[in-house]
Amino acid sequence: MSSQTEPHNVKNEKKAMWYSSIPGLGQLYNGQLFKGIVFLAIFIAFIVEMIVFGFDAFNGLITLGSTPIEDHSLFIMIEGTLQLIITVIFLAFYALNIYDAKRVASIWNRGQKVNVTVKDVMWNVYNAGFPYLLIVPAYLMMAFTIIFPVLVTLFMAFTNYDFYHIPPANLIDWIGLKNFMNIFFLSSYRDAFTSVFSWTIIWTFSATTLQIVIGIFTAVIANQSFIKGKRFFGVIFLLPWAVPAFITILSFSNIFNDSIGAINTQVIPLINELPFVEIGRIAWKTNAFWSKIAIIMIQGWLGFPYIYVMTTSILQSIPEDLYEAAKIDGASAFQRFREITMPMVFLVAAPTFITQYTQNFNNFSMIYLFNNGGPGSVGGGAGATDILISWIYKLTTGTSPQYSMAAAITLIISALVIIVSLTVFKKTNAFNMEDA
Amino acid sequence: MKKTSWKKYVLGLVSTSALVLAACGGGEEATETNSTSGEAAADTTLQISVDQGYVEYVEDIKGAFEEENGVTIEVTERDMFEQLEALPLDGPSGNAPDIMMSAYDRMGSLGQQGHIAEVTLANDDQYDDTDRAQVTLDEKIYGAPSVIETLVLYYNTDLLDEAPTTFVDLEALAKDDQFAFENEEGKNTGFLAKWTDFYFTYGLVSGYGGYVFGEDGTDPTDIGLNNEGAVEAIEYATDWFKNTWPQGMQDVTSADAFITDQYLNGKVGAFIGGPWQAASLKDAGVNYGVSTIPTLNNGEAYEAFGGGKGWVVSNYSENKDVGQAWLDYVTNTENQNKFYDATNEVPANQESRVYATEKEDELTTAVINQYKDAQPMPNIPEMAEVWTGAENMLFDAASGNKTPQESADDSAKLIKESIEQKYTN
């Protein structure tokens, strides 16, 4: 076909939009045959999908099944969630198709060139939309690998999914906000939640701050010009990071044993050799307070090498002449550290420090492997050193799992982590991806 | 120009997504329907999942059963607890085995939740009331008893001439200087028991008159863990923790390792343990004897929980009748005798118990004798709350955080509350 210039077409925008209430018709009205057919095909595919699968899925999402054994509430909920995502994508498409009809009509009216032929439309998609074509699979993957599970968890928090209602023998039902109410009003959960939550905050703050302080301290010291054997120290400081944490924690669990652990039987007696020092045996694993101290110390030991490496590399990039100038102005070593080193380190590493906090907030392995959340308990199935994440683990495993309760607590945790991270990230300008 | 065109791309993006989705959607439908129908083959196969240690035994005896019933048996090896955890998920999707083994205390809740099928017991004279109670919940039988186990006393034959028979003997051991614990002044490891773990403590509590759920372990409203007898038992245990045992015994996570470690070093005269610990002692090459647990100071027996495993049929199985036949076959006297020979685990079948006793294995005899005093572990789902509530009962008393009375009251209250709040349908 030769590309002849179309005669000046007048299109009614309103009309095009109304036509497009059935996707594709508006495009046909605008003379874009190929686009219209594609849109119509999508629409029909969706209608068919709704008839075959969608209506049942939506209905299931509302009822969550009616006959035990035949209906598996959990699968029904999952199908409903899938349908929800598909529908949302379709609705977005629907809105855009109406918008497109209006837009193309207005282009006609302005007398600009409209892509009518298949070749033109494809060429336009290829030219202008190529990057988007490449992104589509990733977006779809994201919808189904990230959004979908999150949605299911979200829904689960509003059901009564526990050991009494395990499909398919029993049905799951929507119970609204009851789980959240239980967390805040039922004695067995309330006491546990407040004490677990407060310990989680204390733990996150102390352990992470400790590892950051040790990391920066060792890095600054090891980078002083008068230190001999920097290589050697570098390797030494990296060791805690090189050994898998899993194994380290388990062996620490033994080292801190009250009766036969190395700390009580060898280290403390050795320290006691010093004059005027007399430390008794410490109940590392049978006393809640000391258990917490031990866990924080171990996390400091495990976590500092990462901070150390990062700080070391940042220190390399601080120009030496800043320090020179400060020295000439008579700044003390501490002032130099506070006014030059610290701001430079934080400028670069603040986001990483934040992620360290969020990581420790959910540091399951440390708590679980060291003392299984013990010693003793604070009710609600939580141990004295349990943090929220390990408490959830205890709620969902064992012989009477309470999945819905765990989902509710998970939501609370996620909300907290997201809010805190976002605020701090905004404050530290970590996501300002502009050139400074 | 740039401003106006992005919407066009979004449109392209969304419509492409929709297309891809439509294509995928069609594919998904198809795969979903035929995954469940893969079960019904022309020749029936019965899938049996067992622990590693039992594979050989099942392979050994399956031949006769296959011929008689015209089925093929596929044996898969999987950890029992793992298999039970997976059943609620695998079952509905048709990937679960037909036959499994289950610990007695898991049968109740699995049966109640509808994951394992109701079965019948082959011939009644194989079992006594305790055995039947183990596999029954609300008058429904969910499994065929196969193995029994309960706690026994291990003692060091190099250091003791004969097994202690009363707790007075054990207290005497704990005054013996050869068992003095060197790292802590005045502490002694002559006799050890993991009493922070309620499973181990229960025999003591029960011997003094405490109980979990009423007379026969089925009444969750009647918790007897803070009655006079139970408190007395906790006081007695606390005395051991505070005045005799090293601090490490209070450590719930590592008390097991501590006991084994001390025993291997020849620092322990006797300890309370389960039959599953015999193998590791044997491997370590130390000498040990096994006997029943000594009589308590009030003259009563140590009434530990009786536990064990039985065969269960998946409720998702399509060959439940064949499954039932397998249960009857595998638990008959002949096969239970073979089972004992193959695994050295004590068979539940009464006639096989006699056979096993005749073999004069110390451990077997001790388990069988101790089992006479054992109480079936309550198998109602509420038992889960007892484990968490009572574990800390002993810890709190032993560590001095609370008095035994307070600790018992708090635990009972916690268990009661948890049950009220979580188990109201």
Side-chain angles (χ1 to χ4, degrees):
Chain A
M1 279 273 158
S2 63
S3 56
Q4 48 187 240
T5 45
E6 301 281 334
H8 188 63
N9 254 324
V10 181
K11 299 276 178 195
N12 182 335
E13 289 180 28
K14 278 251 160 47
K15 229 176 179 173
M17 282 167 76
W18 277 113
Y19 274 125
S20 250
S21 62
I22 292 178
L25 295 194
Q27 281 71 21
L28 292 175
Y29 167 80
N30 283 333
Q32 293 178 295
L33 182 68
F34 175 67
K35 205 185 211 173
I37 288 171
V38 169
F39 280 17
L40 199 58
I42 292 176
F43 178 66
I44 289 166
F46 179 77
I47 295 290
V48 169
E49 195 267 354
M50 274 310 269
I51 290 165
V52 171
F53 174 82
F55 284 118
D56 284 349
F58 270 136
N59 189 27
L61 190 59
I62 293 161
T63 61
L64 291 183
S66 50
T67 41
I69 303 293
E70 263 174 55
D71 292 340
H72 194 300
S73 296
L74 195 60
F75 294 169
I76 288 177
M77 186 158 86
I78 286 169
E79 281 170 7
T81 314
L82 274 175
Q83 186 54 41
L84 202 64
I85 295 177
I86 292 170
T87 311
V88 167
I89 292 178
F90 175 76
L91 287 179
F93 158 78
Y94 192 82
L96 281 165
N97 119 72
I98 291 179
Y99 171 79
D100 172 80
K102 176 177 180 279
R103 197 180 54 89
V104 175
S106 81
I107 293 178
W108 275 121
N109 295 341
R110 287 203 302 273
Q112 289 163 329
K113 181 176 181 297
V114 175
N115 299 311
V116 181
T117 62
V118 176
K119 192 174 150 211
D120 276 349
V121 172
M122 292 305 258
W123 185 246
N124 185 31
V125 167
Y126 179 80
N127 254 352
F130 188 69
Y132 297 92
L133 279 180
L134 287 181
I135 290 178
V136 164
Y139 269 103
L140 281 181
M141 277 299 285
M142 220 162 72
F144 290 100
T145 53
I146 298 174
I147 298 171
F148 166 61
V150 167
L151 272 181
V152 172
T153 308
L154 186 85
F155 290 149
M156 215 182 272
F158 300 95
T159 64
N160 60 359
Y161 186 23
D162 61 11
F163 56 96
Y164 262 124
H165 305 91
I166 291 186
N170 297 294
L171 297 170
I172 301 176
D173 287 309
W174 296 110
I175 53 166
L177 289 168
K178 196 163 155 242
N179 286 322
F180 294 91
M181 293 304 201
N182 285 355
I183 291 173
F184 296 111
F185 297 112
L186 279 190
S187 61
S188 54
Y189 291 113
R190 189 188 54 212
D191 304 352
F193 187 82
T194 41
S195 64
V196 170
F197 182 62
S198 55
W199 158 237
T200 308
I201 298 289
I202 294 169
W203 143 258
T204 307
F205 193 78
S206 354
T208 320
T209 311
L210 182 70
Q211 70 189 52
I212 290 175
V213 167
I214 300 178
I216 294 180
F217 180 78
T218 45
V220 171
I221 298 294
N223 268 291
Q224 295 306 317
S225 48
F226 54 81
I227 298 277
K228 296 279 178 288
K230 283 185 190 155
R231 277 269 168 80
F232 171 74
F233 281 114
V235 172
I236 292 285
F237 288 143
L238 279 183
L239 283 181
W241 198 15
V243 185
F246 202 85
I247 293 161
T248 317
I249 298 166
L250 282 177
S251 46
F252 266 116
S253 182
N254 289 332
I255 290 171
F256 277 89
N257 185 299
D258 296 37
S259 295
I260 44 178
I263 301 276
N264 272 350
T265 57
Q266 285 151 355
V267 176
I268 291 182
L270 188 72
I271 294 173
N272 285 346
E273 296 290 320
L274 296 169
F276 313 118
V277 183
E278 195 54 56
I279 309 172
R281 278 184 316 99
I282 294 174
W284 291 115
K285 290 186 71 188
T286 54
N287 173 306
F289 173 78
W290 287 111
S291 227
K292 289 174 178 179
I293 297 286
I295 292 174
I296 291 171
M297 290 199 311
I298 296 170
Q299 184 54 43
W301 187 87
L302 276 173
F304 91 86
Y306 180 65
I307 308 287
Y308 161 82
V309 171
M310 208 176 52
T311 316
T312 305
S313 48
I314 297 171
L315 290 179
Q316 310 306 324
S317 67
I318 302 179
E320 195 58 38
D321 47 9
L322 281 180
Y323 291 108
E324 299 283 340
K327 263 188 195 156
I328 291 166
D329 286 343
S332 70
F334 179 70
Q335 278 174 315
R336 288 202 299 273
F337 170 74
R338 218 187 56 192
E339 302 295 337
I340 302 170
T341 316
M342 285 291 278
M344 291 294 245
V345 168
F346 274 104
L347 181 75
V348 182
T352 319
F353 290 164
I354 303 306
T355 54
Q356 292 285 302
Y357 279 95
T358 49
Q359 229 164 40
N360 272 337
F361 191 85
N362 286 332
N363 196 335
F364 172 79
S365 56
M366 182 71 233
I367 305 294
Y368 180 74
L369 295 172
F370 182 71
N371 208 359
N372 196 1
S377 87
V378 291
T385 57
D386 262 325
I387 57 176
L388 287 169
I389 193 85
S390 60
W391 184 33
I392 289 181
Y393 175 80
K394 285 182 177 177
L395 283 178
T396 47
T397 53
T399 49
S400 56
Q402 304 182 51
Y403 302 112
S404 59
M405 187 56 83
I409 299 173
T410 306
L411 286 189
I412 296 176
I413 292 186
S414 311
L416 281 169
V417 171
I418 291 169
I419 291 168
V420 170
S421 307
L422 273 185
T423 343
V424 181
F425 275 136
K426 276 208 96 65
K427 267 209 148 49
T428 54
N429 295 333
F431 282 150
N432 286 2
M433 306 224 177
E434 286 159 25
D435 303 330
Chain B
M1 217 50 291
K2 231 187 166 179
K3 261 285 184 267
T4 51
S5 57
W6 71 268
K7 288 174 176 153
K8 192 162 63 182
Y9 306 143
V10 173
L11 176 73
L13 182 71
V14 171
S15 44
T16 330
S17 312
L19 263 183
V20 174
L21 266 186
C24 287
E28 259 172 51
E29 290 291 307
T31 52
E32 231 170 82
T33 43
N34 53 22
S35 61
T36 42
S37 56
E39 288 283 308
D43 170 36
T44 320
T45 50
L46 195 67
Q47 291 187 317
I48 301 184
S49 160
V50 285
D51 268 335
Q52 187 189 353
Y54 303 143
V55 175
E56 219 168 298
Y57 160 74
V58 175
E59 295 279 7
D60 228 21
I61 64 165
K62 76 178 187 185
F65 182 81
E66 283 177 332
E67 264 169 47
E68 197 178 318
N69 294 279
V71 293
T72 329
I73 290 183
E74 272 181 37
V75 188
T76 48
E77 173 201 317
R78 190 163 180 189
D79 178 74
M80 178 181 79
F81 286 105
E82 237 177 73
Q83 180 62 66
L84 295 177
E85 293 278 325
L87 178 63
L89 295 175
D90 287 353
S93 58
N95 298 324
D98 301 299
I99 310 279
M100 282 149 288
M101 290 190 90
S102 160
Y104 293 147
D105 52 323
R106 298 292 299 276
M107 283 183 195
S109 48
L110 283 170
Q112 211 170 45
Q113 293 162 7
H115 300 306
I116 56 177
E118 233 185 295
V119 295
T120 52
L121 290 181
N123 50 359
D124 261 7
D125 51 354
Q126 284 184 7
Y127 307 110
D128 63 10
D129 288 344
T130 313
D131 301 326
R132 267 194 290 279
Q134 293 281 26
V135 292
T136 310
L137 179 66
D138 297 338
E139 322 272 299
K140 296 190 179 100
I141 297 171
Y142 290 115
S146 166
V147 188
I148 57 166
E149 54 186 28
T150 185
L151 295 170
V152 288
L153 186 84
Y154 289 92
Y155 63 98
N156 192 326
T157 46
D158 296 343
L159 306 170
L160 309 182
D161 299 335
E162 51 181 26
T165 52
T166 61
F167 262 74
V168 176
D169 296 350
L170 295 176
E171 285 161 24
L173 277 186
K175 293 191 177 62
D176 190 334
D177 278 344
Q178 67 171 331
F179 301 122
F181 188 65
E182 54 196 18
N183 297 332
E184 292 172 46
E185 199 64 38
K187 294 297 169 82
N188 188 296
T189 54
F191 161 69
L192 296 176
K194 193 191 172 188
W195 278 342
T196 43
D197 184 337
F198 186 68
Y199 181 75
F200 287 77
T201 328
Y202 181 74
L204 181 71
V205 172
S206 169
Y208 276 94
Y211 52 87
V212 181
F213 292 141
E215 273 302 295
D216 42 13
T218 51
D219 180 6
T221 55
D222 178 10
I223 295 165
L225 292 178
N226 58 341
N227 62 20
E228 208 176 321
V231 174
E232 201 182 330
I234 298 170
E235 271 168 4
Y236 182 71
T238 304
D239 181 54
W240 278 95
F241 276 110
K242 275 193 167 154
N243 302 323
T244 310
W245 288 337
Q247 185 78 16
M249 285 297 290
Q250 295 175 22
D251 186 343
V252 181
T253 48
S254 66
D256 268 334
F258 178 79
I259 294 172
T260 315
D261 176 78
Q262 294 296 304
Y263 185 90
L264 298 185
N265 289 335
K267 303 293 290 178
V268 179
F271 71 93
I272 294 177
W276 55 88
Q277 280 166 287
S280 62
L281 293 180
K282 202 173 270 175
D283 291 345
V286 291
N287 290 326
Y288 65 94
V290 193
S291 78
T292 50
I293 297 171
T295 319
L296 296 169
N297 289 345
N298 62 357
E300 295 290 332
Y302 193 93
E303 299 169 347
F305 279 132
K309 298 174 212 164
W311 292 92
V312 293
V313 181
S314 158
N315 210 7
Y316 306 100
S317 164
E318 306 196 347
N319 313 309
K320 285 185 197 146
D321 47 346
V322 186
Q324 175 68 55
W326 168 260
L327 259 53
D328 299 346
Y329 172 78
V330 77
T331 54
N332 67 25
T333 310
E334 185 195 348
N335 281 324
Q336 282 262 286
N337 291 354
K338 280 185 189 161
F339 178 79
Y340 175 68
D341 294 338
T343 62
N344 214 18
E345 291 180 31
V346 187
N349 182 320
Q350 296 284 350
E351 293 159 8
S352 299
R353 274 189 225 181
V354 177
Y355 167 85
T357 317
E358 286 163 2
K359 296 272 170 169
E360 294 192 352
D361 177 81
E362 220 180 1
L363 176 65
T364 307
T365 313
V367 170
I368 290 175
N369 289 335
Q370 186 73 46
Y371 199 81
K372 289 173 185 149
D373 292 319
Q375 296 190 353
M377 195 185 296
N379 54 7
I380 51 178
E382 284 87 343
M383 190 66 198
E385 303 311 316
V386 177
W387 293 121
T388 42
E391 170 186 82
N392 295 297
M393 173 166 86
L394 266 292
F395 175 81
D396 285 337
S399 60
N401 294 349
K402 297 172 186 169
T403 66
Q405 181 70 54
E406 278 173 6
S407 180
D409 289 343
D410 287 356
S411 286
K413 182 164 159 273
L414 175 68
I415 295 168
K416 219 185 213 83
E417 272 183 7
S418 307
I419 289 175
E420 279 165 10
Q421 293 176 357
K422 293 184 197 171
Y423 292 76
T424 43
N425 255 331

